[in-house]
mmCIF file of all heavy atoms in Angstrom:
data_model
loop_
_atom_site.group_PDB
_atom_site.id
_atom_site.type_symbol
_atom_site.label_atom_id
_atom_site.label_comp_id
_atom_site.label_asym_id
_atom_site.label_seq_id
_atom_site.Cartn_x
_atom_site.Cartn_y
_atom_site.Cartn_z
ATOM 1 N N SER A 21 -9.180 -18.450 6.680
ATOM 2 C CA SER A 21 -8.856 -19.859 6.555
ATOM 3 C C SER A 21 -8.235 -20.184 5.216
ATOM 4 O O SER A 21 -7.569 -21.183 5.059
ATOM 5 C CB SER A 21 -10.134 -20.684 6.731
ATOM 6 O OG SER A 21 -11.106 -20.280 5.776
ATOM 7 N N ALA A 110 -21.812 -16.736 -11.359
ATOM 8 C CA ALA A 110 -21.595 -16.017 -12.615
ATOM 9 C C ALA A 110 -20.312 -16.490 -13.290
ATOM 10 O O ALA A 110 -20.273 -16.684 -14.518
ATOM 11 C CB ALA A 110 -21.525 -14.521 -12.353
ATOM 12 N N ILE A 142 -23.509 -12.055 -21.412
ATOM 13 C CA ILE A 142 -23.694 -10.657 -20.990
ATOM 14 C C ILE A 142 -24.379 -10.597 -19.625
ATOM 15 O O ILE A 142 -23.970 -9.851 -18.732
ATOM 16 C CB ILE A 142 -24.508 -9.878 -22.047
ATOM 17 C CG1 ILE A 142 -23.711 -9.795 -23.356
ATOM 18 C CG2 ILE A 142 -24.871 -8.493 -21.545
ATOM 19 C CD1 ILE A 142 -24.477 -9.205 -24.513
ATOM 20 N N VAL A 155 -19.265 -6.939 -2.837
ATOM 21 C CA VAL A 155 -18.221 -7.406 -1.918
ATOM 22 C C VAL A 155 -17.267 -6.265 -1.578
ATOM 23 O O VAL A 155 -16.885 -6.072 -0.415
ATOM 24 C CB VAL A 155 -17.441 -8.589 -2.534
ATOM 25 C CG1 VAL A 155 -16.251 -8.965 -1.642
ATOM 26 C CG2 VAL A 155 -18.354 -9.798 -2.715
ATOM 27 N N GLN A 192 4.865 1.353 30.744
ATOM 28 C CA GLN A 192 4.056 0.205 30.305
ATOM 29 C C GLN A 192 2.921 0.643 29.383
ATOM 30 O O GLN A 192 2.698 0.059 28.324
ATOM 31 C CB GLN A 192 3.492 -0.523 31.528
ATOM 32 C CG GLN A 192 4.552 -1.192 32.387
ATOM 33 C CD GLN A 192 3.980 -1.746 33.685
ATOM 34 O OE1 GLN A 192 2.850 -1.433 34.062
ATOM 35 N NE2 GLN A 192 4.759 -2.563 34.380
ATOM 36 N N MET A 237 6.142 14.100 20.845
ATOM 37 C CA MET A 237 5.962 15.187 21.822
ATOM 38 C C MET A 237 5.290 14.675 23.096
ATOM 39 O O MET A 237 5.630 15.094 24.208
ATOM 40 C CB MET A 237 5.103 16.300 21.214
ATOM 41 C CG MET A 237 5.728 17.025 20.045
ATOM 42 S SD MET A 237 4.539 18.203 19.375
ATOM 43 C CE MET A 237 5.452 18.839 17.965
ATOM 44 N N HIS A 255 2.183 20.994 32.789
ATOM 45 C CA HIS A 255 0.847 20.427 32.562
ATOM 46 C C HIS A 255 0.171 21.098 31.362
ATOM 47 O O HIS A 255 -0.498 20.431 30.567
ATOM 48 C CB HIS A 255 -0.015 20.591 33.815
ATOM 49 C CG HIS A 255 0.318 19.617 34.900
ATOM 50 N ND1 HIS A 255 -0.116 18.304 34.882
ATOM 51 C CD2 HIS A 255 1.077 19.746 36.025
ATOM 52 C CE1 HIS A 255 0.333 17.670 35.952
ATOM 53 N NE2 HIS A 255 1.072 18.530 36.668
ATOM 54 N N VAL A 267 -8.006 16.050 18.360
ATOM 55 C CA VAL A 267 -8.598 16.735 17.198
ATOM 56 C C VAL A 267 -8.187 16.031 15.905
ATOM 57 O O VAL A 267 -9.009 15.823 15.004
ATOM 58 C CB VAL A 267 -8.163 18.214 17.169
ATOM 59 C CG1 VAL A 267 -8.574 18.868 15.853
ATOM 60 C CG2 VAL A 267 -8.771 18.980 18.338
ATOM 61 N N VAL A 276 -12.768 9.565 6.913
ATOM 62 C CA VAL A 276 -13.061 8.164 6.592
ATOM 63 C C VAL A 276 -14.561 7.919 6.449
ATOM 64 O O VAL A 276 -15.015 7.230 5.529
ATOM 65 C CB VAL A 276 -12.469 7.237 7.691
ATOM 66 C CG1 VAL A 276 -13.021 5.825 7.565
ATOM 67 C CG2 VAL A 276 -10.958 7.216 7.593
ATOM 68 N N ASN A 282 -22.062 16.369 14.439
ATOM 69 C CA ASN A 282 -23.222 17.250 14.663
ATOM 70 C C ASN A 282 -23.692 17.967 13.399
ATOM 71 O O ASN A 282 -24.235 19.069 13.453
ATOM 72 C CB ASN A 282 -22.893 18.306 15.734
ATOM 73 C CG ASN A 282 -22.432 17.670 17.034
ATOM 74 O OD1 ASN A 282 -22.971 16.640 17.445
ATOM 75 N ND2 ASN A 282 -21.426 18.245 17.668
ATOM 76 N N ASN A 309 -23.433 31.833 -24.085
ATOM 77 C CA ASN A 309 -24.803 32.070 -23.603
ATOM 78 C C ASN A 309 -24.868 33.398 -22.851
ATOM 79 O O ASN A 309 -24.321 33.540 -21.762
ATOM 80 C CB ASN A 309 -25.225 30.914 -22.685
ATOM 81 C CG ASN A 309 -26.678 31.006 -22.263
ATOM 82 O OD1 ASN A 309 -27.340 32.016 -22.506
ATOM 83 N ND2 ASN A 309 -27.172 29.954 -21.623
ATOM 84 N N LEU A 318 -22.471 38.386 -10.950
ATOM 85 C CA LEU A 318 -21.084 38.660 -11.334
ATOM 86 C C LEU A 318 -20.491 39.763 -10.468
ATOM 87 O O LEU A 318 -19.346 39.669 -10.015
ATOM 88 C CB LEU A 318 -21.016 39.077 -12.811
ATOM 89 C CG LEU A 318 -20.856 37.958 -13.845
ATOM 90 C CD1 LEU A 318 -20.666 38.551 -15.235
ATOM 91 C CD2 LEU A 318 -19.682 37.052 -13.514
ATOM 92 N N ARG A 345 -0.193 48.752 -5.575
ATOM 93 C CA ARG A 345 -0.446 48.061 -6.846
ATOM 94 C C ARG A 345 -1.688 47.171 -6.754
ATOM 95 O O ARG A 345 -2.492 47.105 -7.688
ATOM 96 C CB ARG A 345 0.790 47.220 -7.210
ATOM 97 C CG ARG A 345 0.699 46.464 -8.515
ATOM 98 C CD ARG A 345 0.564 47.373 -9.702
ATOM 99 N NE ARG A 345 0.541 46.618 -10.953
ATOM 100 C CZ ARG A 345 -0.037 47.030 -12.058
ATOM 101 N NH1 ARG A 345 -0.658 48.214 -12.099
ATOM 102 N NH2 ARG A 345 -0.001 46.299 -13.153
ATOM 103 N N GLU A 377 -17.849 41.598 -31.040
ATOM 104 C CA GLU A 377 -16.411 41.860 -30.928
ATOM 105 C C GLU A 377 -16.100 42.702 -29.696
ATOM 106 O O GLU A 377 -15.089 42.505 -29.022
ATOM 107 C CB GLU A 377 -15.915 42.559 -32.194
ATOM 108 C CG GLU A 377 -15.894 41.647 -33.412
ATOM 109 C CD GLU A 377 -15.544 42.400 -34.685
ATOM 110 O OE1 GLU A 377 -15.486 43.655 -34.633
ATOM 111 O OE2 GLU A 377 -15.320 41.738 -35.712
ATOM 112 N N ASP A 407 11.480 35.923 2.293
ATOM 113 C CA ASP A 407 12.245 36.791 3.205
ATOM 114 C C ASP A 407 12.155 36.291 4.644
ATOM 115 O O ASP A 407 13.144 36.292 5.386
ATOM 116 C CB ASP A 407 11.715 38.227 3.129
ATOM 117 C CG ASP A 407 12.029 38.891 1.789
ATOM 118 O OD1 ASP A 407 12.884 38.359 1.056
ATOM 119 O OD2 ASP A 407 11.408 39.926 1.475
ATOM 120 N N VAL A 416 17.569 31.824 15.709
ATOM 121 C CA VAL A 416 18.215 32.541 16.812
ATOM 122 C C VAL A 416 17.342 32.542 18.071
ATOM 123 O O VAL A 416 17.829 32.321 19.182
ATOM 124 C CB VAL A 416 18.522 34.004 16.388
ATOM 125 C CG1 VAL A 416 19.026 34.811 17.581
ATOM 126 C CG2 VAL A 416 19.558 34.018 15.278
ATOM 127 N N GLY A 428 18.094 29.503 33.735
ATOM 128 C CA GLY A 428 17.047 29.828 34.699
ATOM 129 C C GLY A 428 16.735 31.315 34.745
ATOM 130 O O GLY A 428 16.313 31.846 35.779
ATOM 131 N N ILE A 481 6.134 25.709 22.677
ATOM 132 C CA ILE A 481 7.563 25.984 22.907
ATOM 133 C C ILE A 481 7.724 26.913 24.107
ATOM 134 O O ILE A 481 8.597 26.713 24.962
ATOM 135 C CB ILE A 481 8.201 26.613 21.645
ATOM 136 C CG1 ILE A 481 8.338 25.557 20.546
ATOM 137 C CG2 ILE A 481 9.573 27.202 21.968
ATOM 138 C CD1 ILE A 481 8.819 26.107 19.217
ATOM 139 N N SER A 483 5.673 27.324 26.672
ATOM 140 C CA SER A 483 5.383 26.625 27.936
ATOM 141 C C SER A 483 6.505 25.656 28.299
ATOM 142 O O SER A 483 6.856 25.498 29.475
ATOM 143 C CB SER A 483 4.038 25.887 27.847
ATOM 144 O OG SER A 483 4.054 24.915 26.823
ATOM 145 N N ASP A 580 14.570 4.816 24.864
ATOM 146 C CA ASP A 580 14.767 5.953 25.779
ATOM 147 C C ASP A 580 14.085 5.705 27.122
ATOM 148 O O ASP A 580 14.609 6.082 28.180
ATOM 149 C CB ASP A 580 14.228 7.238 25.147
ATOM 150 C CG ASP A 580 15.069 7.688 23.949
ATOM 151 O OD1 ASP A 580 16.219 7.217 23.836
ATOM 152 O OD2 ASP A 580 14.569 8.486 23.140
ATOM 153 N N ASP A 622 25.214 10.386 3.645
ATOM 154 C CA ASP A 622 25.023 10.610 5.086
ATOM 155 C C ASP A 622 24.376 9.389 5.736
ATOM 156 O O ASP A 622 24.768 8.958 6.822
ATOM 157 C CB ASP A 622 24.120 11.827 5.324
ATOM 158 C CG ASP A 622 24.760 13.124 4.866
ATOM 159 O OD1 ASP A 622 25.995 13.146 4.723
ATOM 160 O OD2 ASP A 622 24.018 14.092 4.649
ATOM 161 N N GLU A 633 28.669 0.854 16.732
ATOM 162 C CA GLU A 633 28.217 1.132 18.099
ATOM 163 C C GLU A 633 27.513 -0.089 18.689
ATOM 164 O O GLU A 633 27.629 -0.382 19.885
ATOM 165 C CB GLU A 633 27.279 2.340 18.094
ATOM 166 C CG GLU A 633 27.214 3.091 19.405
ATOM 167 C CD GLU A 633 28.466 3.907 19.689
ATOM 168 O OE1 GLU A 633 29.362 3.968 18.818
ATOM 169 O OE2 GLU A 633 28.547 4.479 20.784
ATOM 170 N N LYS A 636 30.125 -2.437 19.924
ATOM 171 C CA LYS A 636 30.683 -1.942 21.196
ATOM 172 C C LYS A 636 29.737 -2.276 22.351
ATOM 173 O O LYS A 636 30.167 -2.643 23.442
ATOM 174 C CB LYS A 636 30.895 -0.430 21.125
ATOM 175 C CG LYS A 636 32.017 0.000 20.188
ATOM 176 C CD LYS A 636 32.118 1.527 20.135
ATOM 177 C CE LYS A 636 33.159 1.992 19.133
ATOM 178 N NZ LYS A 636 33.199 3.478 19.035
ATOM 179 N N LEU A 637 28.441 -2.129 22.095
ATOM 180 C CA LEU A 637 27.454 -2.452 23.124
ATOM 181 C C LEU A 637 27.540 -3.922 23.516
ATOM 182 O O LEU A 637 27.531 -4.260 24.709
ATOM 183 C CB LEU A 637 26.048 -2.130 22.617
ATOM 184 C CG LEU A 637 24.901 -2.581 23.535
ATOM 185 C CD1 LEU A 637 24.798 -1.670 24.749
ATOM 186 C CD2 LEU A 637 23.576 -2.603 22.786
ATOM 187 N N VAL A 673 25.676 -4.961 4.251
ATOM 188 C CA VAL A 673 24.707 -4.305 3.355
ATOM 189 C C VAL A 673 25.180 -2.906 2.976
ATOM 190 O O VAL A 673 25.063 -2.494 1.819
ATOM 191 C CB VAL A 673 23.310 -4.224 4.021
ATOM 192 C CG1 VAL A 673 22.361 -3.398 3.162
ATOM 193 C CG2 VAL A 673 22.736 -5.617 4.222
ATOM 194 N N MET A 697 17.262 -2.409 16.837
ATOM 195 C CA MET A 697 16.670 -1.576 17.883
ATOM 196 C C MET A 697 15.718 -2.391 18.764
ATOM 197 O O MET A 697 15.640 -2.176 19.971
ATOM 198 C CB MET A 697 15.926 -0.398 17.255
ATOM 199 C CG MET A 697 16.822 0.723 16.774
ATOM 200 S SD MET A 697 17.845 1.427 18.091
ATOM 201 C CE MET A 697 16.583 2.098 19.179
ATOM 202 N N ALA A 698 14.978 -3.315 18.155
ATOM 203 C CA ALA A 698 14.079 -4.176 18.937
ATOM 204 C C ALA A 698 14.889 -5.006 19.933
ATOM 205 O O ALA A 698 14.500 -5.168 21.103
ATOM 206 C CB ALA A 698 13.276 -5.075 18.004
#
Side-chain angles (χ1 to χ4, degrees):
S21 57
I142 295 173
V155 173
Q192 294 172 347
M237 295 176 184
H255 283 281
V267 170
V276 167
N282 304 321
N309 186 351
L318 271 186
R345 181 63 177 154
E377 289 174 351
D407 291 345
V416 173
I481 288 174
S483 61
D580 291 342
D622 294 340
E633 205 73 5
K636 290 178 184 177
L637 173 75
V673 173
M697 283 301 297

